Amino acid sequence: MEIKVDYKAFQAKLNAYCPNQPYTEAEATEAFHNLVGFVRLLMKAEEEICGRKISPPQIHKPKG
């Protein structure tokens, strides 16, 4: 499943915490991919250690 990611928005979120040197778009892109990889690793560890698979959160559509 491919999801379009707004790396500029992620860069802005990172830079909102006033780092010593602002993140470039390339650094923000790499940080985002590292974060996604880490979350996937945690999900795999949960599945292997606890014997259960974590399903992604369900997004509920608003009524009306």
Side-chain angles (χ1 to χ4, degrees):
M1 183 166 113
E2 294 285 322
I3 297 174
K4 186 164 176 69
V5 177
D6 184 355
Y7 295 111
K8 282 286 211 186
F10 189 70
Q11 177 188 13
K13 292 282 185 188
L14 290 174
N15 287 330
Y17 290 99
C18 302
N20 289 335
Q21 292 185 8
Y23 288 90
T24 65
E25 188 174 358
E27 291 170 328
T29 301
E30 183 179 358
F32 182 84
H33 286 275
N34 289 342
L35 178 62
V36 169
F38 180 66
V39 169
R40 287 181 177 160
L41 177 66
L42 290 176
M43 291 172 66
K44 184 173 174 129
E46 172 77 7
E47 183 179 348
E48 290 177 5
I49 293 168
C50 299
R52 63 180 181 201
K53 188 170 184 161
I54 300 174
S55 60
Q58 300 298 314
I59 299 173
H60 300 286
K61 294 181 181 179
K63 295 179 183 177

